[in-house]
Amino acid sequence: MIRENIETVRENIRKAAERAGRNPEDVLLIGVTKTKPVEMMQEAIDEGITDIGENRVQEIMEKYEHIKGDPKWHLIGHLQTNKVKYIIDKVDLIHSVESISLAEEINKRAEKIGKVQKVLLEVNVSGEESKFGISPENIMEFCEKIAEFKNIRVSGLMTVAPFTEDEGILRKVFSDLRKISLDISTKFYDTIYMEELSMGMTNDYEIAIEEGATMVRVGTGIFGNR
Ligand SMILES: *Cc1c(COP(=O)(O)O)cnc(C)c1O
C-alpha cells in the first residue's frame, strides 16, 4: 500500500504544480511518520522518501537509530525548550519555532555542537486559539529578534491550516502565509531567508501547492489512518 500511496501523492503533487505553472521538483514531499512503526518508515524510505516528519521529540529519539538510509528528519510539532538538547544533533529542519525563548535555546545548543540550525517560523495565520504559532501582527518584530542569533538560519515559514473542507478558507490561509513571507523577504533580505513555505497536509496539500508550498507534510495519505 505504501508504495501505491506514494505514487498517488507524487502524481497529485505533479498535477497541482502543473496547474500552478510550477516545477513539481520545487515541492518537497515530507512523509509524516508519527505513531507509525519503524518498519513502515523504512518501507517509505526504500520507496524514495528522503524526508520524514515527526511531531514528538520522544518519537524521534526512539526511532532515530533504527532507520537506515540516512533520511532528513524534520521536527514539525510543538517543541518544548527543555527538549531541544535531545534532537539538536538529529534534525535537519525545525518547522515550529514560535517563541524567542525557544529560539534562544536552539541557538545555544546549536552553537555548542558547532551547527547552524535551519528553522522555519510557525505562523498562526488563521488566528485559531487552539493553534501554536506567531501571530501575523507580531511576525516582523519576531524576525528582528531572531535575526540576531548566529547559530540559527531562518529558511522560511510554516503553518497548519484550520481543519475544514472549505477550499476558500484554506486557499486564503496559504496565500496569506505566502504574502507574509514576501513582506519578510523584502524587509530582512540579508539576514532571514524566505526560501521555504511548509504548508499542506493530506487533506489540503494540493491547494497549498497551488498557493506556493515548497514543502508538504503528508502522513495519512501515505501511511493510512492513525
Ligand atoms: C500530523 C501532522 C501532519 C500530517 O497530517 P496528515 O493529515 O496525516 O497528512 C502534518 N503537519 C503536522 C504539523 C502534523 O502534526
Side-chain angles (χ1 to χ4, degrees):
M1 268 319 273
I2 289 179
R3 169 202 286 244
E4 283 88 343
N5 289 345
I6 292 172
E7 269 174 23
T8 304
V9 172
R10 285 207 189 285
E11 181 64 11
N12 292 340
I13 289 175
R14 194 181 61 72
K15 286 184 190 149
E18 273 167 12
R19 281 197 296 278
R22 302 182 56 206
N23 184 345
E25 286 174 18
D26 294 340
V27 182
L28 176 70
L29 172 59
I30 299 173
V32 175
T33 52
K34 62 187 183 202
T35 77
K36 297 297 175 184
V38 163
E39 293 72 31
M40 286 177 89
M41 295 173 68
Q42 197 62 55
E43 192 179 337
I45 290 162
D46 296 342
E47 292 296 339
I49 292 291
T50 55
D51 290 72
I52 55 185
E54 287 282 349
N55 69 338
R56 289 177 57 238
V57 166
Q58 182 67 30
E59 226 173 311
I60 295 180
M61 289 169 66
E62 283 167 12
K63 291 170 168 178
Y64 192 79
E65 295 297 324
H66 301 287
I67 298 293
K68 294 186 279 293
D70 208 19
K72 288 185 174 149
W73 293 73
H74 296 251
L75 186 77
I76 60 175
H78 182 61
L79 176 57
Q80 284 173 285
T81 303
N82 63 356
K83 295 197 173 155
V84 172
K85 57 179 176 287
Y86 301 119
I87 47 105
I88 193 74
D89 59 334
K90 298 181 179 64
V91 295
D92 189 68
L93 183 63
I94 299 171
H95 291 231
S96 46
V97 170
E98 49 123 34
S99 77
I100 289 298
S101 57
L102 175 60
E104 220 167 305
E105 176 69 6
I106 292 170
N107 187 62
K108 184 178 111 189
R109 295 288 172 179
E111 186 180 3
K112 242 184 182 162
I113 62 165
K115 180 183 191 185
V116 175
Q117 179 64 56
K118 281 187 288 175
V119 308
L120 306 179
L121 307 182
E122 180 168 359
V123 184
N124 184 358
V125 178
S126 61
E128 287 172 286
E129 278 191 25
S130 58
K131 283 205 158 51
F132 290 107
I134 305 156
S135 76
E137 302 85 74
N138 296 335
I139 193 77
M140 290 298 167
E141 193 189 338
F142 194 94
C143 286
E144 264 164 42
K145 290 186 187 148
I146 201 169
E148 302 288 315
F149 295 121
K150 298 282 175 284
N151 288 75
I152 286 182
R153 183 189 200 278
V154 179
S155 302
L157 304 179
M158 177 270 218
T159 200
V160 178
F163 188 71
T164 175
E165 302 205 331
D166 185 327
E167 199 182 310
I169 293 176
L170 295 168
R171 214 172 268 291
K172 173 94 168 54
V173 165
F174 296 140
S175 70
D176 281 354
L177 190 71
R178 179 147 185 269
K179 280 185 204 133
I180 295 167
S181 91
L182 291 173
D183 286 349
I184 295 172
S185 61
T186 315
K187 198 147 181 241
F188 298 92
Y189 59 91
D190 57 352
T191 47
I192 284 182
Y193 303 91
M194 285 290 125
E195 300 150 345
E196 307 293 352
L197 285 175
S198 170
M199 54 189 198
M201 306 171 27
T202 296
N203 288 325
D204 54 22
Y205 68 90
E206 291 156 282
I207 301 170
I209 291 167
E210 289 172 11
E211 298 301 330
T214 65
M215 295 178 161
V216 291
R217 310 178 305 265
V218 179
T220 315
I222 295 175
F223 300 100
N225 287 329
R226 286 182 292 272

